[in-house]
mmCIF file of all heavy atoms in Angstrom:
data_model
loop_
_atom_site.group_PDB
_atom_site.id
_atom_site.type_symbol
_atom_site.label_atom_id
_atom_site.label_comp_id
_atom_site.label_asym_id
_atom_site.label_seq_id
_atom_site.Cartn_x
_atom_site.Cartn_y
_atom_site.Cartn_z
ATOM 1 N N VAL A 1 0.837 -1.192 0.000
ATOM 2 C CA VAL A 1 0.000 0.000 0.000
ATOM 3 C C VAL A 1 0.876 1.247 0.000
ATOM 4 O O VAL A 1 2.050 1.195 0.358
ATOM 5 C CB VAL A 1 -0.956 0.018 1.219
ATOM 6 C CG1 VAL A 1 -1.909 -1.148 1.154
ATOM 7 C CG2 VAL A 1 -0.197 0.024 2.513
ATOM 8 N N PHE A 2 0.297 2.364 -0.424
ATOM 9 C CA PHE A 2 1.010 3.628 -0.452
ATOM 10 C C PHE A 2 0.014 4.763 -0.263
ATOM 11 O O PHE A 2 -1.195 4.572 -0.387
ATOM 12 C CB PHE A 2 1.779 3.811 -1.765
ATOM 13 C CG PHE A 2 0.869 3.979 -2.955
ATOM 14 C CD1 PHE A 2 0.540 5.234 -3.416
ATOM 15 C CD2 PHE A 2 0.352 2.874 -3.612
ATOM 16 C CE1 PHE A 2 -0.309 5.391 -4.518
ATOM 17 C CE2 PHE A 2 -0.486 3.015 -4.701
ATOM 18 C CZ PHE A 2 -0.817 4.282 -5.152
ATOM 19 N N ASP A 3 0.532 5.924 0.031
ATOM 20 C CA ASP A 3 -0.286 7.126 0.152
ATOM 21 C C ASP A 3 -0.321 7.784 -1.220
ATOM 22 O O ASP A 3 0.700 8.270 -1.698
ATOM 23 C CB ASP A 3 0.328 8.069 1.184
ATOM 24 C CG ASP A 3 -0.490 9.312 1.411
ATOM 25 O OD1 ASP A 3 -1.458 9.560 0.665
ATOM 26 O OD2 ASP A 3 -0.158 10.045 2.345
ATOM 27 N N PRO A 4 -1.481 7.803 -1.901
ATOM 28 C CA PRO A 4 -1.532 8.318 -3.270
ATOM 29 C C PRO A 4 -1.221 9.808 -3.387
ATOM 30 O O PRO A 4 -0.951 10.300 -4.467
ATOM 31 C CB PRO A 4 -2.956 8.019 -3.725
ATOM 32 C CG PRO A 4 -3.736 7.856 -2.484
ATOM 33 C CD PRO A 4 -2.777 7.337 -1.444
ATOM 34 N N THR A 5 -1.222 10.541 -2.280
ATOM 35 C CA THR A 5 -0.893 11.964 -2.352
ATOM 36 C C THR A 5 0.607 12.180 -2.440
ATOM 37 O O THR A 5 1.052 13.251 -2.814
ATOM 38 C CB THR A 5 -1.420 12.736 -1.128
ATOM 39 O OG1 THR A 5 -0.747 12.270 0.040
ATOM 40 C CG2 THR A 5 -2.910 12.583 -0.983
ATOM 41 N N GLY A 6 1.392 11.174 -2.042
ATOM 42 C CA GLY A 6 2.840 11.308 -2.061
ATOM 43 C C GLY A 6 3.386 12.093 -0.888
ATOM 44 O O GLY A 6 4.581 12.346 -0.796
ATOM 45 N N ILE A 7 2.555 12.472 0.054
ATOM 46 C CA ILE A 7 3.011 13.229 1.219
ATOM 47 C C ILE A 7 3.452 12.245 2.285
ATOM 48 O O ILE A 7 2.697 11.379 2.707
ATOM 49 C CB ILE A 7 1.886 14.135 1.762
ATOM 50 C CG1 ILE A 7 1.492 15.147 0.702
ATOM 51 C CG2 ILE A 7 2.323 14.814 3.053
ATOM 52 C CD1 ILE A 7 0.303 15.987 1.086
ATOM 53 N N GLU A 8 4.699 12.365 2.723
ATOM 54 C CA GLU A 8 5.217 11.456 3.731
ATOM 55 C C GLU A 8 5.107 12.028 5.133
ATOM 56 O O GLU A 8 4.915 11.299 6.092
ATOM 57 C CB GLU A 8 6.664 11.106 3.418
ATOM 58 C CG GLU A 8 6.774 10.313 2.118
ATOM 59 C CD GLU A 8 8.183 9.948 1.791
ATOM 60 O OE1 GLU A 8 9.058 10.060 2.664
ATOM 61 O OE2 GLU A 8 8.422 9.547 0.644
ATOM 62 N N SER A 9 5.256 13.315 5.280
ATOM 63 C CA SER A 9 5.120 13.916 6.602
ATOM 64 C C SER A 9 4.674 15.362 6.442
ATOM 65 O O SER A 9 4.879 15.979 5.411
ATOM 66 C CB SER A 9 6.435 13.853 7.370
ATOM 67 O OG SER A 9 7.405 14.647 6.734
ATOM 68 N N VAL A 10 4.083 15.864 7.492
ATOM 69 C CA VAL A 10 3.570 17.223 7.475
ATOM 70 C C VAL A 10 4.026 17.916 8.748
ATOM 71 O O VAL A 10 3.905 17.364 9.836
ATOM 72 C CB VAL A 10 2.026 17.230 7.411
ATOM 73 C CG1 VAL A 10 1.490 18.647 7.485
ATOM 74 C CG2 VAL A 10 1.552 16.539 6.150
ATOM 75 N N LYS A 11 4.552 19.104 8.618
ATOM 76 C CA LYS A 11 4.952 19.887 9.780
ATOM 77 C C LYS A 11 3.865 20.909 10.062
ATOM 78 O O LYS A 11 3.464 21.660 9.182
ATOM 79 C CB LYS A 11 6.271 20.610 9.499
ATOM 80 C CG LYS A 11 6.741 21.455 10.651
ATOM 81 C CD LYS A 11 8.031 22.160 10.301
ATOM 82 C CE LYS A 11 8.428 23.119 11.407
ATOM 83 N NZ LYS A 11 9.576 23.921 11.034
ATOM 84 N N ARG A 12 3.394 20.909 11.273
ATOM 85 C CA ARG A 12 2.353 21.854 11.663
ATOM 86 C C ARG A 12 3.008 23.142 12.119
ATOM 87 O O ARG A 12 3.977 23.148 12.859
ATOM 88 C CB ARG A 12 1.512 21.261 12.774
ATOM 89 C CG ARG A 12 0.361 22.130 13.150
ATOM 90 C CD ARG A 12 -0.489 21.414 14.148
ATOM 91 N NE ARG A 12 -1.106 22.382 15.017
ATOM 92 C CZ ARG A 12 -2.113 22.133 15.794
ATOM 93 N NH1 ARG A 12 -2.599 20.938 15.836
ATOM 94 N NH2 ARG A 12 -2.615 23.058 16.553
ATOM 95 N N ASP A 13 2.462 24.255 11.678
ATOM 96 C CA ASP A 13 2.992 25.567 11.998
ATOM 97 C C ASP A 13 1.844 26.433 12.483
ATOM 98 O O ASP A 13 0.740 26.343 11.970
ATOM 99 C CB ASP A 13 3.626 26.176 10.740
ATOM 100 C CG ASP A 13 4.418 27.431 11.018
ATOM 101 O OD1 ASP A 13 4.622 27.757 12.199
ATOM 102 O OD2 ASP A 13 4.824 28.077 10.049
ATOM 103 N N ALA A 14 2.082 27.236 13.465
ATOM 104 C CA ALA A 14 1.039 28.142 13.951
ATOM 105 C C ALA A 14 1.675 29.487 14.267
ATOM 106 O O ALA A 14 2.800 29.566 14.736
ATOM 107 C CB ALA A 14 0.363 27.582 15.187
ATOM 108 N N ILE A 15 0.957 30.529 13.938
ATOM 109 C CA ILE A 15 1.410 31.886 14.211
ATOM 110 C C ILE A 15 0.390 32.524 15.138
ATOM 111 O O ILE A 15 -0.798 32.619 14.792
ATOM 112 C CB ILE A 15 1.549 32.695 12.909
ATOM 113 C CG1 ILE A 15 2.570 32.033 11.997
ATOM 114 C CG2 ILE A 15 1.916 34.135 13.216
ATOM 115 C CD1 ILE A 15 2.674 32.668 10.645
ATOM 116 N N ASN A 16 0.820 32.946 16.320
ATOM 117 C CA ASN A 16 -0.074 33.591 17.288
ATOM 118 C C ASN A 16 -1.318 32.758 17.570
ATOM 119 O O ASN A 16 -2.413 33.274 17.715
ATOM 120 C CB ASN A 16 -0.485 34.982 16.800
ATOM 121 C CG ASN A 16 0.708 35.893 16.630
ATOM 122 O OD1 ASN A 16 1.682 35.783 17.366
ATOM 123 N ND2 ASN A 16 0.640 36.779 15.667
ATOM 124 N N GLY A 17 -1.171 31.435 17.607
ATOM 125 C CA GLY A 17 -2.297 30.565 17.915
ATOM 126 C C GLY A 17 -3.230 30.299 16.742
ATOM 127 O O GLY A 17 -4.179 29.551 16.870
ATOM 128 N N ASN A 18 -2.998 30.922 15.592
ATOM 129 C CA ASN A 18 -3.848 30.704 14.421
ATOM 130 C C ASN A 18 -3.279 29.577 13.575
ATOM 131 O O ASN A 18 -2.079 29.401 13.487
ATOM 132 C CB ASN A 18 -3.942 31.974 13.572
ATOM 133 C CG ASN A 18 -4.609 33.101 14.329
ATOM 134 O OD1 ASN A 18 -5.527 32.871 15.102
ATOM 135 N ND2 ASN A 18 -4.129 34.302 14.128
ATOM 136 N N ASN A 19 -4.157 28.825 12.945
ATOM 137 C CA ASN A 19 -3.692 27.761 12.061
ATOM 138 C C ASN A 19 -3.122 28.356 10.787
ATOM 139 O O ASN A 19 -3.541 29.412 10.339
ATOM 140 C CB ASN A 19 -4.848 26.825 11.703
ATOM 141 C CG ASN A 19 -5.295 26.031 12.897
ATOM 142 O OD1 ASN A 19 -4.481 25.569 13.676
ATOM 143 N ND2 ASN A 19 -6.586 25.881 13.049
ATOM 144 N N VAL A 20 -2.174 27.652 10.227
ATOM 145 C CA VAL A 20 -1.580 28.032 8.955
ATOM 146 C C VAL A 20 -1.963 26.955 7.961
ATOM 147 O O VAL A 20 -1.895 25.774 8.251
ATOM 148 C CB VAL A 20 -0.049 28.154 9.080
ATOM 149 C CG1 VAL A 20 0.568 28.518 7.746
ATOM 150 C CG2 VAL A 20 0.310 29.181 10.136
ATOM 151 N N TYR A 21 -2.373 27.372 6.780
ATOM 152 C CA TYR A 21 -2.841 26.457 5.748
ATOM 153 C C TYR A 21 -1.820 26.400 4.617
ATOM 154 O O TYR A 21 -1.205 27.399 4.278
ATOM 155 C CB TYR A 21 -4.181 26.928 5.191
ATOM 156 C CG TYR A 21 -5.205 27.205 6.264
ATOM 157 C CD1 TYR A 21 -5.490 28.501 6.654
ATOM 158 C CD2 TYR A 21 -5.864 26.168 6.888
ATOM 159 C CE1 TYR A 21 -6.419 28.760 7.638
ATOM 160 C CE2 TYR A 21 -6.799 26.407 7.874
ATOM 161 C CZ TYR A 21 -7.075 27.706 8.250
ATOM 162 O OH TYR A 21 -7.992 27.961 9.218
ATOM 163 N N TYR A 22 -1.670 25.201 4.029
ATOM 164 C CA TYR A 22 -0.751 25.009 2.911
ATOM 165 C C TYR A 22 -1.453 24.240 1.814
ATOM 166 O O TYR A 22 -2.332 23.416 2.082
ATOM 167 C CB TYR A 22 0.483 24.217 3.349
ATOM 168 C CG TYR A 22 1.349 24.940 4.343
ATOM 169 C CD1 TYR A 22 1.180 24.764 5.706
ATOM 170 C CD2 TYR A 22 2.338 25.803 3.908
ATOM 171 C CE1 TYR A 22 1.976 25.426 6.618
ATOM 172 C CE2 TYR A 22 3.143 26.474 4.810
ATOM 173 C CZ TYR A 22 2.961 26.277 6.173
ATOM 174 O OH TYR A 22 3.749 26.935 7.058
ATOM 175 N N ASP A 23 -1.007 24.463 0.568
ATOM 176 C CA ASP A 23 -1.453 23.599 -0.514
ATOM 177 C C ASP A 23 -0.414 22.492 -0.663
ATOM 178 O O ASP A 23 0.546 22.425 0.102
ATOM 179 C CB ASP A 23 -1.683 24.388 -1.808
ATOM 180 C CG ASP A 23 -0.432 25.007 -2.394
ATOM 181 O OD1 ASP A 23 0.699 24.633 -1.995
ATOM 182 O OD2 ASP A 23 -0.574 25.877 -3.273
ATOM 183 N N LEU A 24 -0.592 21.624 -1.636
ATOM 184 C CA LEU A 24 0.326 20.489 -1.792
ATOM 185 C C LEU A 24 1.675 20.866 -2.379
ATOM 186 O O LEU A 24 2.575 20.033 -2.443
ATOM 187 C CB LEU A 24 -0.331 19.399 -2.635
ATOM 188 C CG LEU A 24 -1.536 18.751 -1.960
ATOM 189 C CD1 LEU A 24 -2.115 17.677 -2.848
ATOM 190 C CD2 LEU A 24 -1.174 18.202 -0.608
ATOM 191 N N ARG A 25 1.828 22.103 -2.782
ATOM 192 C CA ARG A 25 3.123 22.575 -3.297
ATOM 193 C C ARG A 25 3.881 23.347 -2.225
ATOM 194 O O ARG A 25 4.823 24.060 -2.526
ATOM 195 C CB ARG A 25 2.905 23.452 -4.522
ATOM 196 C CG ARG A 25 2.361 22.670 -5.688
ATOM 197 C CD ARG A 25 2.278 23.526 -6.919
ATOM 198 N NE ARG A 25 1.794 22.722 -8.023
ATOM 199 C CZ ARG A 25 1.034 23.179 -8.972
ATOM 200 N NH1 ARG A 25 0.656 24.444 -8.976
ATOM 201 N NH2 ARG A 25 0.636 22.386 -9.942
ATOM 202 N N SER A 26 3.410 23.233 -0.970
ATOM 203 C CA SER A 26 4.017 23.887 0.191
ATOM 204 C C SER A 26 3.845 25.400 0.183
ATOM 205 O O SER A 26 4.588 26.112 0.841
ATOM 206 C CB SER A 26 5.509 23.542 0.312
ATOM 207 O OG SER A 26 5.672 22.160 0.462
ATOM 208 N N ASN A 27 2.887 25.895 -0.575
ATOM 209 C CA ASN A 27 2.597 27.325 -0.575
ATOM 210 C C ASN A 27 1.670 27.632 0.594
ATOM 211 O O ASN A 27 0.655 26.974 0.772
ATOM 212 C CB ASN A 27 1.918 27.752 -1.882
ATOM 213 C CG ASN A 27 2.811 27.527 -3.078
ATOM 214 O OD1 ASN A 27 3.984 27.834 -3.040
ATOM 215 N ND2 ASN A 27 2.247 26.972 -4.132
ATOM 216 N N ARG A 28 2.020 28.641 1.390
ATOM 217 C CA ARG A 28 1.181 29.052 2.503
ATOM 218 C C ARG A 28 -0.055 29.760 1.958
ATOM 219 O O ARG A 28 0.034 30.569 1.048
ATOM 220 C CB ARG A 28 1.959 29.975 3.432
ATOM 221 C CG ARG A 28 1.164 30.364 4.657
ATOM 222 C CD ARG A 28 1.980 31.206 5.589
ATOM 223 N NE ARG A 28 2.583 30.292 6.538
ATOM 224 C CZ ARG A 28 3.521 30.625 7.388
ATOM 225 N NH1 ARG A 28 4.006 31.841 7.394
ATOM 226 N NH2 ARG A 28 4.003 29.756 8.236
ATOM 227 N N LEU A 29 -1.224 29.439 2.525
ATOM 228 C CA LEU A 29 -2.482 30.016 2.089
ATOM 229 C C LEU A 29 -3.073 30.869 3.204
ATOM 230 O O LEU A 29 -2.863 30.591 4.386
ATOM 231 C CB LEU A 29 -3.481 28.906 1.744
ATOM 232 C CG LEU A 29 -3.025 27.860 0.724
ATOM 233 C CD1 LEU A 29 -4.028 26.723 0.665
ATOM 234 C CD2 LEU A 29 -2.836 28.489 -0.634
ATOM 235 N N ASP A 30 -3.843 31.885 2.849
ATOM 236 C CA ASP A 30 -4.549 32.693 3.842
ATOM 237 C C ASP A 30 -5.727 31.924 4.426
ATOM 238 O O ASP A 30 -6.104 32.123 5.576
ATOM 239 C CB ASP A 30 -5.053 33.999 3.225
ATOM 240 C CG ASP A 30 -3.914 34.927 2.840
ATOM 241 O OD1 ASP A 30 -2.859 34.880 3.504
ATOM 242 O OD2 ASP A 30 -4.078 35.686 1.877
ATOM 243 N N ALA A 31 -6.329 31.067 3.627
ATOM 244 C CA ALA A 31 -7.470 30.255 4.043
ATOM 245 C C ALA A 31 -7.465 28.999 3.175
ATOM 246 O O ALA A 31 -6.846 28.980 2.110
ATOM 247 C CB ALA A 31 -8.764 31.026 3.842
ATOM 248 N N PRO A 32 -8.124 27.946 3.608
ATOM 249 C CA PRO A 32 -8.182 26.740 2.779
ATOM 250 C C PRO A 32 -8.834 27.036 1.431
ATOM 251 O O PRO A 32 -9.698 27.897 1.329
ATOM 252 C CB PRO A 32 -9.068 25.787 3.590
ATOM 253 C CG PRO A 32 -9.088 26.329 4.959
ATOM 254 C CD PRO A 32 -8.857 27.797 4.849
ATOM 255 N N LYS A 33 -8.382 26.339 0.398
ATOM 256 C CA LYS A 33 -8.982 26.503 -0.917
ATOM 257 C C LYS A 33 -9.546 25.164 -1.366
ATOM 258 O O LYS A 33 -9.265 24.128 -0.772
ATOM 259 C CB LYS A 33 -7.964 27.027 -1.922
ATOM 260 C CG LYS A 33 -6.823 26.082 -2.213
ATOM 261 C CD LYS A 33 -5.897 26.649 -3.256
ATOM 262 C CE LYS A 33 -4.836 25.613 -3.613
ATOM 263 N NZ LYS A 33 -3.983 26.053 -4.676
ATOM 264 N N LYS A 34 -10.329 25.172 -2.410
ATOM 265 C CA LYS A 34 -10.953 23.962 -2.941
ATOM 266 C C LYS A 34 -9.869 22.967 -3.342
ATOM 267 O O LYS A 34 -8.877 23.329 -3.963
ATOM 268 C CB LYS A 34 -11.827 24.318 -4.136
ATOM 269 C CG LYS A 34 -12.616 23.161 -4.669
ATOM 270 C CD LYS A 34 -13.551 23.613 -5.779
ATOM 271 C CE LYS A 34 -14.356 22.444 -6.287
ATOM 272 N NZ LYS A 34 -15.271 22.838 -7.347
ATOM 273 N N GLY A 35 -10.038 21.730 -2.940
ATOM 274 C CA GLY A 35 -9.076 20.687 -3.262
ATOM 275 C C GLY A 35 -8.394 20.175 -2.010
ATOM 276 O O GLY A 35 -8.891 20.331 -0.902
ATOM 277 N N LEU A 36 -7.220 19.581 -2.166
ATOM 278 C CA LEU A 36 -6.487 18.998 -1.052
ATOM 279 C C LEU A 36 -5.602 20.052 -0.411
ATOM 280 O O LEU A 36 -4.808 20.704 -1.084
ATOM 281 C CB LEU A 36 -5.662 17.822 -1.556
ATOM 282 C CG LEU A 36 -5.091 16.882 -0.521
ATOM 283 C CD1 LEU A 36 -6.184 16.328 0.383
ATOM 284 C CD2 LEU A 36 -4.382 15.737 -1.201
#
């Protein structure tokens, strides 16, 4: 079996207690967007 997303690990980051969102290309997002 394998993870079809190809993501092996994820580092969680928070700024001032707020969640930080990323797309699959490691781009930081202001808010979640449609998709993964």
